[in-house]
Every structure is written in C-alpha cells, then in structure tokens.
Amino acid sequence: MKIGILGATGAVGRQMLECIEERNIEADEIRLFASARSAGKTMKYKGTDLVIQEATPEALQGLDYVLGAVSNAFSRQYAPLIKAAGAVYIDNSSAFRLEDDVPLVVPEINGEDALKHNGIIANPNCSTIITMMAAAPIARISPIKKITATTFQAVSGAGIGGLQELNSQVQAIHDGKEPEIKVFPQQIAFNCIAEIGSYNENGYTAEEMKMQNEGRRILHEPELKVNCTCVRVPVMRSHSIAVTLRTERKVSVEEAKAAVAAFPGVRLIEDYEGRCYPTPLDTTDQDLVWVGRIRDDLTDERGLTLWCCGDQIRKGAASNAVQILKYLAERT
Ligand SMILES: NC(=O)c1ccc[n+]([C@@H]2O[C@H](COP(=O)([O-])OP(=O)(O)OC[C@H]3O[C@@H](n4cnc5c(N)ncnc54)[C@H](OP(=O)(O)O)[C@@H]3O)[C@@H](O)[C@H]2O)c1
C-alpha cells in the first residue's frame, strides 16, 4: 500500500505520520506533501528521513490513499488531482463533509459508510467527533433527538499557528509587552473567546453548525437538532465538551454508563485519581475519548448531561483518518 500525506508539516499531518508508524500500517511507500516552502525538508519515519515534496499531478501518481491535512481551499484544489491519480482521498478539511457522495466517517460509529465512497471520504469536525463518540453509545440504547453542547477548544485546533499564538502571548505578557493578535479574534492568553469561525445569518458560527450538520450524518439521524456554543480556551491540546442530550425514551444514568464503558474508543471516568471527570491534560496525546459526570438533566425528564474530553489532533483528526484508511484497506 502506498500512502501520501498532504499537509504533512502541519499539526494534523505530523500526527498522521506518527499514527501510521505506531499503528503498524503496512506501507510500501509514504510520500509527504506540503507547500513549496517545505519542499526539500525532511521528516523522520521509522528512523529514516522522508523528503517533503510539492503535490504535483506527477508526484501523486501510483498512490493508493492520500490523507489530507490542509485548508479547505487547498483541499478543493488538490482533490481532483488526487482522484485523477487514482488514489482515495481521506480529507480532514470541511470542504466536502456535507456532499451526498462523500461519506463522513467515525469508524467506531458508522465505519460501514466509508465503503460507499466515490474517491473522497471526509473526516468530521474535531469537536463533533469527540461529542459523537460520547453520544453514540447512548444513541444505541435510544435514538438521540436533541443535543445542547458547549465546547472548550484548544488552541492547536487552529493548527501550529494557534499553538504559537498562545505561547507568544503568554511570553509577551510575562515580559511586560503588548501581546500580538494574529490567529484568534481576541487575545487568547488568560482569556476565553466565544467565537470560532465566521458567523451565519442565524447568529451561530460555522464551527457551531458543524455539530448539527455533521452529527446528523454520523448518527444517521437526519432530524437531529443541535444547539452548540463553541469557545476557544487557552489550552494547548485536547478539546472538552459539556453535552446535554435528549433521547427518544429515557435512558437511565446507569444504562448510559454501562454503554459508554462498553463502547470501543471511549473510556468511562468514574473514579480517576479521585475524580469523576477528565481534563484536557489527561487526554492529550492518546486516542480515547474520556467521558465523565454522566447525570440526569434536571430540566428534561428524557435528558442526560455529561462531560467529555479528547485529543482533537489525534481522535479528532489524524487517528480517525488513519483508522478510516485501515478500515478500507482491510475490506477492499
Ligand atoms: N488542528 C486540529 O486540531 C484539526 C482538527 C481537525 C481538523 N483539522 C483540519 O485539518 C486541516 C489541517 O489543519 P492543521 O491544524 O494541521 O493546520 P496547520 O498546522 O496550519 O498545517 C497546514 C498544512 O498545510 C500545508 N500547506 C499550506 N499551503 C499549502 C500548499 N499550497 N500546498 C500544500 N500544502 C500546503 C502546510 O505546509 P507548510 O508547512 O509547507 O506551510 C501545513 O503542512 C485543516 O483543514 C483543519 O481545519 C485540524
């Protein structure tokens, strides 16, 4: 199997290369692509140096899969070249996520959708993946009709530039200087910003609407209603989400806990170092979504409330994409 990584030098692309190595994906060849700025530089894979190249139609020839970790605009630009070269494109941007012939896949939840692809498979939004991993075990007991969610999103969700911005602002404040704002709409150091993505006419941001639009496709619930508020917080890595959901019939707390504990890719937290909830630091640099504080919703007799955390660069992006690749490779 020959695999390409587009955007290999970014936060997600780097993690993809690591995931391929740690999951022992049998790759005969790995080709790394990034912008012209990175061409000629190298990255380590299994102790050898792989040279980064530009993604030209010629350089893409002969690949079986390309994992995409670039912006929407670049994804749209490269997808036709990747398809023309005969490779399956597993994309992390939001460029194709709502297109009917593009499966939107979280392997533990709707892996079989991946088999119906037409050359492109989309990886869902990072907060959506983490939330759906926590919600899916409960949805298997009784369909989820409504979700209210507030996200607490790490700066690395905005890529390497987001990490640099938090670090440089903290340093500037420490040095008594004015923090420079480039990536986020407000100062993120020692702050919270309730604005991720552009505003829609309904007052919600594009990032907030992803949870409903994508959640419907992942859970196969076309009428699912989601009310989401996305907040950027000064955390390096791992998103957290406070989730309240309403099921068709009442699911008890005990039923929900048993389902979450049994679901692949999820870890129920009831007594972890003396507490019943995870933190972003707990879930950084590992693949499980940790779910805690499952309790009844006091405002809705069919509701449940929970707290979940997951590494958005891993399960929210790179690991999920590598899982999709593995799922397909084992079945086609
Ligand atoms: N970060 C997350 O937690 C996360 C989670 C889920 C989904 N995503 C999505 O994943 C994608 C990548 O995000 P990221 O956070 O990894 O971004 P990033 O850290 O900013 O990396 C961007 C990548 O795009 C490459 N690139 C820029 N211009 C290019 C060009 N003209 N041709 C080819 N490659 C080019 C960059 O290469 P150079 O180094 O050469 O500039 C770099 O490898 C985005 O669509 C993002 O929305 C991110």
Side-chain angles (χ1 to χ4, degrees):
M1 177 162 58
K2 296 185 178 179
I3 304 170
I5 300 178
L6 178 64
T9 52
V12 175
R14 285 173 187 278
Q15 188 65 60
M16 285 168 163
L17 189 61
E18 272 183 53
C19 285
I20 290 172
E21 183 164 347
E22 80 192 19
R23 286 176 181 248
N24 286 318
I25 306 287
E26 284 190 30
D28 304 309
E29 186 185 345
I30 295 189
R31 283 183 222 160
L32 305 182
F33 303 103
S35 74
R37 292 179 294 276
S38 302
K41 293 181 185 163
T42 59
M43 289 171 69
K44 283 264 183 253
Y45 174 72
K46 290 191 175 172
T48 61
D49 287 326
L50 299 181
V51 180
I52 299 161
Q53 29 182 336
E54 279 188 80
T56 60
E58 301 72 42
L60 291 163
Q61 289 303 317
L63 292 171
D64 299 298
Y65 295 94
V66 174
L67 301 175
V70 293
S71 65
N72 286 3
F74 287 128
S75 190
R76 287 196 186 282
Q77 179 186 325
Y78 289 110
L81 305 182
I82 294 166
K83 276 182 86 168
V88 175
Y89 182 41
I90 303 173
D91 181 28
N92 266 278
S93 81
S94 55
F96 304 103
R97 285 182 192 153
L98 299 184
E99 295 193 6
D100 284 342
D101 67 342
V102 176
L104 184 66
V105 177
V106 182
E108 294 89 340
I109 305 173
N110 64 332
E112 66 289 349
D113 287 356
L115 300 170
K116 294 174 228 148
H117 73 82
N118 196 8
I120 304 177
I121 298 168
N123 215 68
N125 164 261
C126 43
S127 300
T128 304
I129 293 182
I130 295 163
T131 304
M132 293 305 141
M133 284 294 287
I138 299 167
R140 297 258 165 108
I141 303 172
S142 176
I144 293 174
K145 296 295 164 194
K146 196 178 107 177
I147 295 176
T148 303
T150 304
T151 71
F152 303 75
Q153 298 186 211
V155 292
S156 55
I160 287 176
L163 280 170
Q164 287 166 346
E165 180 129 323
L166 177 54
N167 275 322
S168 66
Q169 288 183 355
V170 169
Q171 189 61 50
I173 292 164
H174 183 260
D175 295 344
K177 295 184 185 146
E178 189 63 29
E180 199 181 348
I181 297 171
K182 286 195 286 197
V183 175
F184 300 115
Q186 300 292 321
Q187 175 185 317
I188 186 61
F190 311 111
N191 208 1
C192 294
I193 308 172
E195 178 187 352
I196 304 181
S198 54
Y199 285 102
N200 289 356
E201 277 180 6
N202 63 5
Y204 288 78
T205 66
E207 182 81 357
E208 289 163 349
M209 292 312 298
K210 287 173 187 173
M211 187 130 12
Q212 172 168 290
N213 297 335
E214 300 181 21
R216 288 177 171 182
R217 300 196 69 202
I218 297 162
L219 294 179
H220 295 175
E221 280 291 339
E223 303 300 321
L224 174 71
K225 290 194 165 62
V226 180
N227 186 326
C228 186
T229 304
C230 288
V231 184
R232 186 75 67 190
V233 293
V235 162
M236 286 296 175
R237 183 164 167 157
S238 244
H239 290 352
S240 307
I241 305 105
V243 182
T244 296
L245 48 87
R246 168 177 246 242
T247 41
E248 198 167 82
R249 73 144 171 98
K250 173 63 189 168
V251 173
S252 73
V253 170
E254 288 316 312
E255 279 180 295
K257 284 183 179 175
V260 165
F263 202 74
V266 179
R267 176 172 178 180
L268 175 70
I269 301 301
E270 286 194 285
D271 182 4
Y272 177 75
E273 296 180 344
R275 55 191 154 88
C276 57
Y277 59 88
T279 68
L281 288 180
D282 295 327
T283 53
T284 288
D285 207 21
Q286 57 80 59
D287 283 328
L288 300 178
V289 171
W290 295 24
V291 182
R293 299 206 59 201
I294 301 179
R295 59 206 193 275
D296 284 318
D297 174 2
L298 298 180
T299 69
D300 181 351
E301 59 195 21
R302 283 195 270 141
L304 283 172
T305 290
L306 57 85
W307 170 258
C308 57
C309 300
D311 186 321
Q312 93 290 346
I313 298 181
R314 278 183 170 262
K315 183 57 189 166
S319 313
N320 197 73
V322 172
Q323 277 180 280
I324 295 171
L325 183 154
K326 192 159 183 274
Y327 186 97
L328 284 176
E330 286 169 355
R331 288 165 180 79
T332 51

